[in-house]
Amino acid sequence: MPGDNVRVLVVDDDEHFVESVAALLDGEERIEVVGTASSGEQAIEAARTLEPDCISMDVAMPGIGGIEASRTIRAELPETRVILVSGSIFSDFCTATEQADAEAFTTKSRLAIDLPATILRICRGQAV
């Protein structure tokens, strides 16, 4: 993947948050936001269509939540990496990350600090 942009799908049920994350990631020259979704169901369909390298996935959404959507996507697209994003700090975020078959976890309060670098690291096979 060296030299290629990392293709990212942003998923969150808060439209303004999605716009903010997309703007943050668009400011990173090595990342390309290829789509957005506002539910787990939409995330699954968008992932099937867009085949992103990485997904920024909100944990808590109506309907299919981020953990279940992540499991479904990773089963169908095992090369797609998932970063779980939550507005709260889980008491056991490691378990949530494992249940979702995700590579990383961050909170919304740390997103601007963590997300771009985490995306690039996991998509290049580096440990987080």
Side-chain angles (χ1 to χ4, degrees):
M1 175 172 287
D4 294 338
N5 282 349
V6 176
R7 303 173 70 250
V8 178
L9 173 65
V10 179
V11 182
D12 196 289
D13 59 331
D14 180 338
E15 174 185 337
H16 299 293
F17 184 77
V18 169
E19 290 172 6
S20 296
V21 173
L24 168 72
L25 296 177
D26 281 339
E28 171 61 56
E29 67 183 40
R30 297 166 292 176
I31 296 174
E32 175 187 2
V33 176
V34 294
T36 62
S38 61
S39 68
E41 295 88 350
Q42 287 180 4
I44 293 166
E45 288 305 313
R48 288 174 178 153
T49 302
L50 301 170
E51 296 184 6
D53 300 311
C54 187
I55 300 173
S56 169
M57 178 76 74
D58 184 21
V59 172
M61 295 180 286
I64 295 176
I67 292 173
E68 185 179 344
S70 294
R71 275 196 309 259
T72 300
I73 291 166
R74 294 278 293 147
E76 293 181 24
L77 302 165
E79 296 299 314
T80 298
R81 305 293 178 234
V82 177
I83 299 170
L84 292 180
V85 179
S86 177
S88 64
I89 298 174
F90 285 115
S91 58
D92 192 0
F93 65 85
C94 289
T95 299
T97 303
E98 188 176 297
Q99 289 174 345
D101 193 20
E103 281 71 28
F105 175 91
T106 190
T107 60
K108 290 182 178 183
S109 63
R110 292 202 42 92
L111 202 73
I113 298 165
D114 293 343
L115 191 61
T118 301
I119 288 170
L120 294 171
R121 290 181 80 186
I122 66 171
C123 287
R124 287 177 169 68
Q126 299 171 350
V128 178

